[in-house]
Amino acid sequence: MGQTNAAYRISHLDALEAESVFVMREVAAEFERPVLLFSGGKDSIVMLRLAEKAFHPGRIPFPVMHVDTGHNFPEVLEYRDRRVAELGVQLVIASVPEALERGLVREPADGTRNRIQTPVLLDAVEKYRFDALFGGARRDEEKARAKERVFSFRDEFGQWDPRNQRPELWSLYNSKISPGESIRVFPLSNWTELDIWHYIARERIDLPSIYFAHDREVVDRGGMLYGVNEFIRPRAGETVTKRRVRYRTVGDASMTAAVPSEADTVEKVIDEVASTRITERGATRGDDKVSEAAMEDRKREGYF
């Protein structure tokens, strides 16, 4: 009896994977034009792996889209292009530099482009008539994301109202939308950062090199370590030092900070994440430190 029960036991990761695969198949069945948002970060990389499994042996039946701000880490762009080529999926690029040229958005005074991604994303959604957008957000990342449903409704202006979301009882999802409306879908809602890394280890998923400890020139700005690059130059009074760091998230090179780390393997990263008490966004994203409600404000405007 004991052996029989053990044979039917599934792991925590198996349960999370099964739920995410179910969500992806549900979206592919219910919507006409889904798309997977792909930044080259660890969460969207795991999403691609899940999509592979969901539709194996067929190909992933929807394109991936990158909202390209022009402030990307080069290692991430190289990974993005290599990975979509390996999978044979269509890559749609919603380009912020191109949107600046045609006057859809204006360059912010501080030179960062996170906020102006939103009009570019919404413009691409309208252009390609996407009706369901897969995102890699998890509820453990920060409080606005904790409010999201798995199927998160957006009105005809692409905006999110946390008070106007549909109940999801017994994992039953309401996919009905009217023309112009859309759904953001978050198959990783119930995963944690540690789950993501355990899954990366189990599946032996390749990642951009910046996720692992390496020596980099940085400046300490407000207690956060920003890598010196073409978007981050030392200000008066700042000292450039070489530190051993890694990135916990992948955002713009102009807004994403590194953390001190000696973790140069997936196993060491798992040990590091298991012992930290600070979320990856709290530790590394300057855009989330604008205000307590920075993420919720962006999401109301139509951000991921």
Side-chain angles (χ1 to χ4, degrees):
M1 179 65 76
Q3 288 183 343
T4 301
N5 287 340
Y8 285 101
R9 188 173 300 151
I10 65 171
S11 71
H12 177 59
L13 285 182
D14 289 335
L16 289 172
E17 179 189 70
E19 179 187 57
S20 300
V21 165
F22 168 75
V23 168
M24 288 188 165
R25 290 175 175 169
E26 183 78 0
V27 169
E30 294 289 339
F31 290 87
E32 293 183 4
R33 300 182 68 83
V35 66
L36 190 152
L37 297 171
F38 185 66
S39 66
K42 64 184 185 305
D43 300 306
S44 57
I45 290 169
V46 166
M47 293 261 288
L48 266 185
R49 177 64 177 148
L50 292 165
E52 273 189 279
K53 287 195 168 187
F55 304 104
H56 181 79
R59 294 171 61 175
I60 297 172
F62 39 74
V64 301
M65 178 165 69
H66 182 209
V67 182
D68 184 349
T69 64
H71 285 184
N72 305 285
F73 289 96
E75 299 95 327
V76 175
L77 289 183
E78 182 278 328
Y79 181 95
R80 178 199 70 183
D81 294 340
R82 174 166 53 83
R83 191 71 184 116
V84 298
E86 288 170 353
L87 292 173
V89 295
Q90 178 191 0
L91 172 64
V92 175
I93 296 178
S95 171
V96 171
E98 187 270 336
L100 285 166
E101 283 187 10
R102 61 187 170 96
L104 176 66
V105 292
R106 289 185 177 180
E107 187 93 54
D110 63 2
T112 62
R113 294 178 173 177
N114 203 334
R115 192 104 192 187
I116 60 175
Q117 288 183 84
T118 300
V120 179
L121 170 68
L122 298 180
D123 183 61
V125 170
E126 182 176 0
K127 177 181 177 180
Y128 294 99
R129 295 185 291 111
F130 293 133
D131 53 7
L133 287 74
F134 290 108
R138 310 183 320 268
R139 291 189 176 119
D140 76 321
E141 290 183 78
E142 66 81 54
K143 55 190 177 185
R145 290 185 163 174
K147 297 178 183 178
E148 290 273 20
R149 301 286 199 272
V150 175
F151 277 36
S152 191
F153 174 75
R154 297 296 194 272
D155 66 18
E156 64 270 35
F157 303 105
Q159 296 179 335
W160 175 64
D161 181 355
R163 298 165 300 180
N164 185 29
Q165 298 299 307
R166 297 161 175 178
E168 293 180 340
L169 306 176
W170 307 289
S171 298
L172 296 175
Y173 305 115
N174 185 343
S175 60
K176 185 173 177 55
I177 56 172
S178 299
E181 297 173 342
S182 62
I183 293 285
R184 306 290 172 82
V185 187
F186 302 107
L188 304 182
S189 286
N190 294 326
W191 297 53
T192 67
E193 183 185 12
L194 201 53
D195 293 329
I196 292 292
W197 279 104
H198 278 298
Y199 193 74
I200 287 167
R202 190 184 85 169
E203 300 291 312
R204 299 182 180 181
I205 298 174
D206 182 31
L207 292 179
S209 58
I210 65 172
Y211 274 114
F212 301 101
H214 57 283
D215 294 328
R216 185 177 287 256
E217 289 188 336
V218 299
V219 293
D220 188 331
R221 186 171 295 172
M224 301 178 80
L225 300 177
Y226 289 94
V228 176
N229 52 56
E230 63 178 300
F231 311 111
I232 293 285
R233 309 306 303 175
R235 297 171 180 167
E238 290 182 336
T239 302
V240 177
T241 58
K242 182 171 284 188
R243 299 281 299 273
R244 190 139 182 92
V245 298
R246 74 175 191 87
Y247 287 84
R248 287 179 69 183
T249 65
V250 166
D252 276 0
S254 56
M255 290 294 289
T256 308
V259 295
S261 176
E262 296 293 331
D264 54 6
T265 66
V266 172
E267 289 72 24
K268 291 178 183 177
V269 171
I270 289 172
D271 290 341
E272 184 180 278
V273 172
S275 62
T276 187
R277 307 262 52 92
I278 304 174
T279 69
E280 71 254 52
R281 293 199 70 92
T284 67
R285 298 300 285 269
D287 46 336
D288 287 349
K289 294 186 176 297
V290 175
S291 74
E292 282 290 313
M295 174 62 81
E296 182 155 335
D297 291 344
R298 291 201 302 275
K299 291 180 80 67
R300 285 176 182 272
E301 295 167 359
Y303 188 69
F304 312 138

